[in-house]
Amino acid sequence: MKISPSILSADFTRLGAELKALEDAGADYIHVDVMDGRFVPNITIGPFIVEAIKRATRLPLDVHLMIEEPERYIADFADAGSDIITVHVEAARHLHKAVQMIKESGKKAGVTLNPATPVSTLEEVMGDVDLALVMSVNPGFSGQGFIQASLKKISAVRAMINATGRSIELEVDGGIKTSNIKAAAAAGADVFVSGSGVFSTPDYKKTISAMKEEAMTAKA
Ligand code: DX5
Ligand code: ZN
């Protein structure tokens, strides 16, 4: 069970301190939300900031590209120090190629899909990826409510992963809190992104520990 706090909800005037606090709090990854103002309305972080984040933490960087034609920027994000690079099936016209590019850059490859995109869009690349991400909100902003129908999707992706016989991480992103993490874990997720669910609480360590405990009870 891994927690990947989304740095988008951090206080950017104190980014180094926030990263240190997450490390001390037991975070497993740092989730970095990259938005281009085209695939999603918002504009956020580019390779320059990813490179700064890399220098400020030992935790693996879980980079979520919400950008059109991600193929154009994979090399830049790989060079900036990403450890996992995840692309959207809706944004990559040549999804197979994008996955190969990520792997050739020596990074772990992830694929993700929007709430209205069917799970079947992952089928042809599942044999090649290291991580599948189910979006449980429409991408673009933190602080949105968890879409309940995502639970059924997580179960479907879990079945697809098990059928490959490979070890592929199943991540969920959007609206995850201590109160609903158990349901997502029960559906089959094992990596949990949380932005506001961590950063709106005063004690990150307490929150991340509680999240892990809750998630574990689903597996017990
Ligand atoms: C949404 C982003 C998420 C978001 C998570 O577009 O991909 O990673 O920042 O934030 P919360 O947990 O607040 O929904
Ligand atoms: Zn994200």
Side-chain angles (χ1 to χ4, degrees), residues 166-179:
R166 298 177 58 243
S167 93
I168 301 170
E169 292 193 304
L170 175 41
E171 186 174 49
V172 56
D173 182 8
I176 293 287
K177 317 260 173 218
T178 308
S179 57

Side-chain angles (χ1 to χ4, degrees), residues 135-147 174-177 196:
M135 287 307 299
S136 43
V137 296
N138 285 293
F141 303 93
S142 57
Q144 306 179 80
F146 181 88
I147 298 171
I176 293 287
K177 317 260 173 218
S196 48

